[in-house]
Amino acid sequence: MQTDRDGRISLRVGHRSARLSTLLQTTGNTCAVYITACNPKSRITPLAENQAAMAGLYEQLSRQSLFIYRGESIDPSGKWPAEESFLALGIDLLVAKSIGRKFGQNAIVWMDSAAIPRLVLLR
């Protein structure tokens, strides 16, 4: 787990995040989803469409969670553009998968109380 000096959480699939674990515990949650609505079906989409989709995603997540944090997904290889994302606490796997499918995503990142991000394919 990496935490920037400003307190940001860096999530890596398959690697436990102590900072996320602490966040889950202090908020009384046992799970979380990291999700985007950008570029559905892995097709580059115009900025305005991505922004509208992200607004819809935030609205959907806010019905399920009191704890939503903005994030940015960055491809370490630099081949895919950075995507605005949300970390939403307290959303169980079935609901998270449903939301991901609703927004045309191929995958989401989901974590249980062990705070180990795992990639969940939706196709």
Side-chain angles (χ1 to χ4, degrees), residues 107-120:
I108 58 170
V109 175
W110 191 79
M111 296 131 286
D112 62 16
S113 60
I116 300 171
R118 67 180 174 110
L119 189 65
V120 178

Side-chain angles (χ1 to χ4, degrees), residues 3 29 32 41 61-62 64 66-67 72 75 100 104 109 119 123:
T3 305
N29 287 281
K41 306 263 189 259
L61 293 172
S62 67
Q64 305 289 325
L66 297 175
F67 302 96
E72 184 176 47
D75 176 7
V109 175
L119 189 65
R123 302 177 236 149

Side-chain angles (χ1 to χ4, degrees), residues 14-67:
H15 296 269
R16 184 177 184 279
S17 171
R19 177 123 167 91
L20 176 63
S21 179
T22 299
L23 183 61
L24 288 170
Q25 290 173 6
T26 59
T27 60
N29 287 281
T30 60
C31 57
V33 63
Y34 190 71
I35 188 169
T36 187
C38 294
N39 304 314
K41 306 263 189 259
S42 297
R43 293 187 189 112
I44 299 296
T45 305
L47 178 62
E49 288 180 37
N50 280 336
Q51 289 174 331
M54 287 300 290
L57 176 59
Y58 183 83
E59 182 179 319
Q60 181 78 39
L61 293 172
S62 67
R63 291 184 201 131
Q64 305 289 325
S65 176
L66 297 175
F67 302 96

Side-chain angles (χ1 to χ4, degrees), residues 45-112:
T45 305
L47 178 62
E49 288 180 37
N50 280 336
Q51 289 174 331
M54 287 300 290
L57 176 59
Y58 183 83
E59 182 179 319
Q60 181 78 39
L61 293 172
S62 67
R63 291 184 201 131
Q64 305 289 325
S65 176
L66 297 175
F67 302 96
I68 303 169
Y69 305 91
R70 293 190 180 278
E72 184 176 47
S73 298
I74 299 171
D75 176 7
S77 72
K79 294 177 183 176
W80 189 255
E83 294 179 334
E84 184 181 356
S85 303
F86 294 114
L87 173 68
L89 308 185
I91 297 181
D92 71 40
L93 182 56
L94 291 177
V95 172
K97 289 165 85 173
S98 175
I99 294 171
R101 286 186 185 106
K102 178 178 180 177
F103 287 90
Q105 297 303 301
N106 292 326
I108 58 170
V109 175
W110 191 79
M111 296 131 286
D112 62 16

